[in-house]
């Protein structure tokens, strides 16, 4: 299954396949209709404590990524998400996120972890 990432503020398209919001908080100013999601999966988002500790501070990203990866590895949520996406038959999983910079956001860690799971 192809896994891609896309900001919640970008236009949804048919090519997105199975669209999943992977943030714990709903993106500001985005209506449910505009988001065009198949699901909102808070279970794969970082814990509230980890999210607050990180605070999108680039100097903390490496440690954040390691801690978040441990959270994901201890959870069955990533595998369950991948199963639901595969069952949809859409062929592509689009991870929708709200942060301005994907390179310093949990979505890149999540995409990497999902890509390592058996399809």
């Amino acid at each position: 299954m192809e896994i891609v990432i896309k900001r919640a503020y970008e236009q949804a398209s048919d090519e997105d396949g199975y669209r999943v919001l992977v943030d714990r908080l709903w993106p500001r100013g985005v209506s449910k209709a505009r988001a065009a999601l198949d699901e909102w999966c808070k279970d794969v988002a970082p814990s509230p404590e980890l999210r607050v500790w990180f605070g999108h501070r680039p100097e903390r990203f490496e440690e954040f990524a390691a801690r978040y990866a441990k959270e994901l590895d201890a959870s069955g949520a990533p595998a369950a998400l991948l199963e639901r996406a595969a069952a949809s038959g859409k062929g592509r999983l689009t991870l929708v996120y709200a942060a301005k910079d994907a390179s310093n956001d949990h979505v890149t860690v999540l995409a990497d972890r999902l890509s390592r799971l058996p399809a």
Side-chain angles (χ1 to χ4, degrees), residues 9-24:
Y9 304 100
E10 295 178 61
Q11 185 68 39
S13 73
D14 291 337
E15 290 79 38
D16 289 344
Y18 194 77
R19 288 177 53 87
V20 180
L21 178 63
V22 294
D23 288 339
R24 285 204 186 266

Side-chain angles (χ1 to χ4, degrees), residues 91-103:
R92 177 184 276 181
L93 169 60
T94 297
L95 305 175
V96 179
Y97 69 101
K100 292 180 183 176
D101 181 8
S103 65

